[in-house]
Amino acid sequence: MAARFKMKRQGVGKLLRSEMIRADMVRRAQNIKSAAVSLSPTGGSGDPHPGQYKGAWQVSSTVRGGRRRDRAVAYVRNPTYYARWVEYGTERVPAHHVLLRAAAAGGD
């Protein structure tokens, strides 16, 4: 006789918010952070804050994340005010795509 499975939405919701899932999301985010740190530019001799961007990477997590606030998530961010310019570039500075490349390389 074949096994039967009946899914309960409440049980899936508990699983998505569980500590086990949050811990795995944090582990993946730490891998992405490590890759981002290794890919981060440090600036040249004329940089007034050499290494500030590289040292500012952070990981945070919550069990109420996502679009509907119904699952565990982890975030990798760089709070420096110029982080978006490093990522996407400007008219004078080429884009480095640090977070994009780190996410592609280090999620697992």
Side-chain angles (χ1 to χ4, degrees):
M1 186 166 143
R4 300 188 84 189
F5 171 74
K6 182 169 177 157
M7 183 180 82
K8 293 185 179 182
R9 292 177 61 89
Q10 185 178 20
V12 172
K14 283 183 179 180
L15 175 66
L16 289 174
R17 290 185 303 273
S18 70
E19 181 59 30
M20 174 183 67
I21 299 295
R22 190 195 70 77
D24 190 53
M25 294 293 109
V26 169
R27 180 189 62 78
R28 291 170 184 261
Q30 290 289 353
N31 290 344
I32 292 170
K33 176 188 171 189
S34 295
V37 168
S38 68
L39 294 169
S40 294
T42 55
S45 59
D47 188 0
H49 306 289
Q52 180 179 1
Y53 176 79
K54 187 173 189 166
W57 288 101
Q58 300 173 346
V59 171
S60 62
S61 69
T62 181
V63 293
R64 291 290 184 179
R67 190 179 69 190
R68 295 183 187 167
R69 305 284 186 235
D70 63 346
R71 61 195 65 215
V73 295
Y75 301 101
V76 179
R77 63 186 290 264
N78 192 314
T80 57
Y81 73 92
Y82 52 88
R84 78 175 68 102
W85 300 323
V86 174
E87 185 72 19
Y88 301 114
T90 65
E91 302 87 30
R92 297 179 183 163
V93 178
H96 289 279
H97 300 296
V98 174
L99 191 55
L100 176 70
R101 293 185 300 154
D108 278 328

